[in-house]
Amino acid sequence: MRNYSERSITSERIRYKRSRSVLGSSSLALALTFRCSFSIMAYDGVLLGMGNPLLDISAVVDEEFLNKYDLKPNNAILAEEKHLSLYDELAAKYNVEYIAGGATQNTIRVAQWMLQIPGATSYMGCIGKDKFGEEMKKNAAVAGVNAHYYEDETALTGTCAVCVVGGERSLVANLSAANCYKIDHLKRPENWQLVEKAKYIYIAGFFLTVSPDSIQLVAEHAAAKNKVFMMNLSAPFICEFFRDAQDKALDYVDFVFGNETEARTFARVHGWETGNVEEIAVKISALPKASRTHNRITIITQGCDPVVVAADGKVRLFPVILLPKEKLVDTNGAGDAFVGGFLSQLVQEKSIDDCVKAGCYAANVIIQRSGCTYPEKPDFQ
């Protein structure tokens, strides 16, 4: 993918080809520069994410380790007392990598990488005032994300154990500082301006466990200003144990993301007598909605099976990019990356087909690498 300024210059050269006889070369160059700068400004802060920033502690483990801590593949849970020794054992027994993560932060970083437009994305969440928090800030800056962290002085930066077996990941999150986010931080003028500036707002369901009042405030703003508000089902336990908060937020959601396991859990919790993912996606899309400006669209990923997109009572299926098993490194962040790729095209007002294509591309790149990481530049076409 060429960066935005290159694409803009190419299009503007074509547009001004007939004007060369009227404008001198210096005037033409100035006009091109102005138009490109104006276009980039139009994307300034266009996408905002809010969530739980976590430092991923990632390692390839064995089945015995999963069984010891009662962990399941392709699942995500919050740490309990029985998991507290897991983090030290993981670091002592296995070859670990430390990667800035958290579901929403992953998505925003991937969207920024795909866009290659300076300042296009912003992010808010809570970290601790410690070395891991400093590392998180550096990582966000390198990724090009405008991060406004709330820094808690009493809690350590949150961590997430990423236990990989056969390419499948099991996540155990110790939220710590991430659990300390306060709506007061959101209301500060320098932070609320990120909300005002954004045209698209994305929040993973995990944030429901931390600050549902912040979600509600942003959701109501999005509805009032006809902005696009998006959320992710995120994990089965969110659908099961945070149903009321999730249902309240869903009233405002224009795009719902999730995977097949989360979709089936959502259906079961709501008493829907079906395990058919396509039917569930249609039902989610048809749930009551506070804003009628945008019809809700539901996007459900299914691993190597087609992506399900439901809108207006209809379903479309999109094939994913199949990957030979020997190239699969780590599925951690695959769903986050899919959403990031999807949003990178959505904020450019591309078609749903293009959005899904970009999502599949981004997920395919991430699962061939350790953690939610990516090469310097995308080559998405």
Side-chain angles (χ1 to χ4, degrees):
M1 175 189 277
R2 293 171 293 176
N3 64 37
Y4 185 81
S5 58
E6 288 171 341
R7 290 203 306 270
S8 300
I9 289 172
T10 299
S11 63
E12 296 301 334
R13 279 174 179 162
I14 295 170
R15 183 176 303 192
Y16 283 95
K17 188 175 180 181
R18 296 179 181 176
S19 301
R20 288 181 183 273
S21 59
V22 179
L23 290 173
S25 59
S26 296
S27 298
L28 178 59
L30 183 62
L32 289 176
T33 301
F34 174 78
R35 282 181 173 269
C36 293
S37 299
F38 181 79
S39 297
I40 291 173
M41 286 174 61
Y43 286 97
D44 184 40
V46 68
L47 174 61
L48 169 65
M50 296 177 63
N52 302 334
L54 303 172
L55 187 73
D56 286 348
I57 306 173
S58 180
V60 175
V61 302
D62 49 39
E63 292 281 355
E64 184 181 350
F65 186 84
L66 293 189
N67 293 334
K68 178 178 179 178
Y69 290 101
D70 194 24
L71 305 179
K72 298 176 182 178
N74 195 29
N75 195 25
I77 62 171
L78 292 177
E80 302 174 28
E81 181 105 17
K82 64 182 179 182
H83 299 121
L84 296 183
S85 62
L86 177 154
Y87 301 90
D88 288 338
E89 182 176 347
L90 191 66
K93 190 175 178 181
Y94 300 97
N95 183 26
V96 301
E97 289 184 272
Y98 296 94
I99 305 166
T104 302
Q105 186 164 229
N106 285 341
T107 291
I108 297 301
R109 286 172 52 240
V110 170
Q112 179 64 49
W113 170 67
M114 288 284 288
L115 281 164
Q116 296 286 302
I117 302 174
T121 63
S122 303
Y123 176 79
M124 283 188 275
C126 185
I127 59 176
K129 280 197 169 184
D130 52 26
K131 64 178 182 179
F132 286 158
E134 289 301 315
E135 191 64 33
M136 198 85 76
K137 288 192 284 186
K138 290 178 185 176
N139 189 279
V142 169
V145 176
N146 180 21
H148 284 213
Y149 295 115
Y150 170 54
E151 297 182 60
D152 189 275
E153 297 185 2
T154 62
L156 297 175
T157 296
T159 54
C160 181
V162 181
C163 309
V164 182
V165 176
E168 296 290 330
R169 90 289 187 272
S170 185
L171 308 180
V172 188
N174 182 11
L175 296 182
S176 195
N179 201 38
C180 300
Y181 189 83
K182 303 291 190 296
I183 194 171
D184 291 343
H185 177 263
L186 174 63
K187 290 179 177 179
R188 291 177 190 169
E190 66 271 24
N191 299 323
W192 187 253
Q193 70 167 345
L194 300 182
V195 180
E196 293 278 6
K197 186 183 292 185
K199 297 178 183 177
Y200 298 82
I201 301 170
Y202 173 75
I203 302 176
F206 294 118
F207 203 50
L208 289 166
T209 70
V210 173
S211 190
D213 51 349
S214 294
I215 295 175
Q216 193 68 20
L217 183 63
V218 171
E220 290 174 359
H221 166 83
K225 301 294 184 179
N226 292 329
K227 297 181 176 183
V228 178
F229 184 63
M230 303 162 288
M231 287 194 72
N232 202 308
L233 300 179
S234 291
F237 83 87
I238 297 293
C239 302
E240 289 183 293
F241 304 119
F242 295 87
R243 172 182 171 173
D244 290 345
Q246 187 179 59
D247 285 350
K248 187 176 181 180
L250 278 175
D251 284 349
Y252 296 87
V253 176
D254 300 304
F255 284 81
V256 176
F257 296 90
N259 66 30
E260 75 278 27
T261 305
E262 295 153 4
R264 290 190 176 110
T265 303
F266 185 93
R268 176 173 55 78
V269 168
H270 285 76
W272 299 346
E273 295 181 357
T274 179
N276 183 292
V277 174
E278 295 177 32
E279 291 180 15
I280 295 168
V282 170
K283 284 179 171 288
I284 292 175
S285 293
L287 288 171
K289 196 166 179 295
S291 170
R292 300 302 178 100
T293 304
H294 312 286
N295 292 332
R296 184 183 293 115
I297 298 176
T298 303
I299 301 100
I300 305 296
T301 58
Q302 305 184 94
C304 60
D305 292 327
V307 176
V308 177
V309 177
D312 299 321
K314 299 177 182 178
V315 170
R316 296 179 65 195
L317 300 178
F318 295 84
V320 300
I321 304 170
L322 297 178
L323 184 73
K325 191 169 184 180
E326 60 271 17
K327 288 190 175 182
L328 176 63
V329 174
D330 179 0
T331 59
N332 180 39
D336 303 334
F338 173 87
V339 179
F342 188 102
L343 299 187
S344 73
Q345 305 305 297
L346 185 67
V347 300
Q348 297 181 76
E349 300 183 356
K350 299 291 184 67
S351 68
I352 292 297
D353 298 58
D354 287 339
C355 292
V356 174
K357 183 180 177 183
C360 291
Y361 164 81
N364 184 263
V365 169
I366 265 64
I367 63 176
Q368 296 182 66
R369 302 169 66 89
S370 181
C372 191
T373 61
Y374 37 75
E376 183 179 354
K377 288 190 176 183
D379 58 2
F380 175 68
Q381 301 294 331

